[in-house]
Amino acid sequence: MGVLNVTPDSFSDGGELPTVQSVVDRAGKMLEEGADVLDMGGESTRPEAKAVDMEIELMRVLPALEAVRKAFPSAPISIDTYKPEVAQAAVKAGADMVNDIWGCAHGMTTAERKDWKPANLRPSAMAQMVAKLKCPIILMHNRPDKNYRDFWKDIISDLSLSLMLAQWAGVAREQIWLDPGFGFAKDAAQNLEVLKNLSKIVELQFPVLLGTSRKSTIGKVLDNAPADKRLDGTAATVVWGIQQGAAMVRLHDITPMKKFIKMADAIKAGQAWKE
């Protein structure tokens, strides 16, 4: 999955694509390099980033999305949003799937998430929208804070909540992906823990997307390396993630990562690998 941020303030590539044509050009380059899916987002989700109004997000995303769809009619496109109205408009404009950083649970408080039960849940607007659109959705792990009582028990509970909301609304099981939320509501050690034991999420038996590319935890491990110096660290997380069962990786840099992905896939295949 190639990252196409049409935002001025993303953590590592904000403002790099200021025009519709620059987005189309980057999309073409990523597809040529081997991206299978393009993930387009109009709101930065980096820590401390300011939320943007729906109108601004739509203004950023729709012209670029329509242009990319016109230029590359068969390219799978994901819309990175937690707003159901943006998801609806984006799918109408040509997006194929929704990537929701709040896992259909945006707006739920920590108290509401603790010890949740199906009988106490209220419907999720995003889940209902995705069910209506009949498109795939990526449910990412996230929460309003980093306060965990039991880290893995809470992670699985949060993801189970997202799954319940989606399936309760009518989203088909085969349309659902999970994402561990590396870099979201976790400190560096917790990010490393969720990556170390990614297989715990794979065991939920949904395909898993892993998004570690250039993230700050990698920078911290590599002696405070800036975002553009985190390629080697990203490669290590990608290889480890694939070995743990990740089905797709979300990347800013396609070409440098391809050989690591190819090698990791070959190692995982073992004797089943074919030339």
Side-chain angles (χ1 to χ4, degrees):
M1 175 181 277
V3 179
L4 274 178
N5 284 323
V6 288
T7 54
D9 56 347
S10 290
F11 79 96
S12 74
D13 58 356
E16 286 187 2
L17 304 175
T19 66
V20 168
Q21 188 57 51
S22 66
V23 178
V24 173
D25 292 345
R26 177 70 63 83
K29 185 173 186 293
M30 284 187 161
L31 292 169
E32 185 179 325
E33 291 174 340
D36 299 296
V37 181
L38 300 172
D39 189 42
M40 187 175 295
E43 177 176 344
S44 174
T45 53
R46 64 178 174 79
E48 284 82 50
K50 292 183 179 180
V52 301
D53 293 337
M54 177 183 66
E55 291 77 12
I56 294 175
E57 188 175 351
L58 288 170
M59 181 179 66
R60 292 174 178 175
V61 167
L62 291 185
L65 176 55
E66 290 167 352
V68 170
R69 172 52 68 224
K70 183 178 179 180
F72 309 104
S74 62
I77 301 174
S78 168
I79 178 66
D80 185 348
T81 188
Y82 57 86
K83 301 182 181 76
E85 299 87 354
V86 175
Q88 181 179 40
V91 170
K92 184 178 179 181
D96 302 288
M97 66 189 301
V98 175
N99 184 6
D100 182 359
I101 66 163
W102 283 101
C104 288
H106 180 249
M108 288 189 68
T109 65
T110 301
E112 289 174 317
R113 289 166 175 269
K114 286 181 180 177
D115 305 315
W116 65 268
K117 293 178 175 56
N120 298 332
L121 295 179
R122 62 178 187 271
S124 159
M126 177 61 95
Q128 291 176 318
M129 179 59 72
V130 170
K132 177 183 175 183
L133 295 170
K134 293 182 166 45
C135 68
I137 184 168
I138 301 164
L139 302 171
M140 197 190 80
H141 176 263
N142 204 349
R143 52 169 40 204
D145 55 52
K146 302 174 184 177
N147 298 324
Y148 297 90
R149 293 177 296 181
D150 181 313
F151 184 72
W152 272 110
K153 183 177 179 181
D154 290 350
I155 292 277
I156 299 303
S157 176
D158 290 345
L159 287 172
S160 298
L161 167 62
S162 291
L163 288 166
M164 173 66 73
L165 290 170
Q167 294 181 291
W168 188 26
V171 180
R173 179 185 176 90
E174 62 269 19
Q175 296 279 59
I176 297 174
W177 285 66
L178 296 178
D179 182 329
F182 187 96
F184 290 81
K186 301 169 190 70
D187 59 28
Q190 290 167 338
N191 284 321
L192 294 170
E193 171 64 25
V194 83
L195 180 59
K196 175 184 176 182
N197 291 295
L198 187 66
S199 58
K200 291 180 182 288
I201 296 174
V202 174
E203 287 169 2
L204 296 175
Q205 298 187 332
F206 291 85
V208 172
L209 168 70
L210 178 64
T212 57
S213 182
R214 301 185 185 178
K215 289 193 174 172
S216 62
T217 291
I218 296 171
K220 289 176 181 178
V221 172
L222 300 181
D223 304 316
N224 297 315
D228 63 349
K229 302 296 183 183
R230 298 173 187 169
L231 281 177
D232 291 346
T234 296
T237 64
V238 165
V239 171
W240 180 274
I242 290 171
Q243 295 306 302
Q244 292 287 304
M248 182 158 59
V249 288
R250 184 177 183 273
L251 299 167
H252 297 84
D253 309 284
I254 306 298
T255 294
M257 295 297 108
K258 280 174 62 177
K259 58 188 176 184
F260 293 99
I261 294 169
K262 188 173 184 178
M263 195 70 225
D265 284 340
I267 295 168
K268 190 167 186 181
Q271 290 189 348
W273 180 78
K274 291 181 172 57
E275 292 187 47

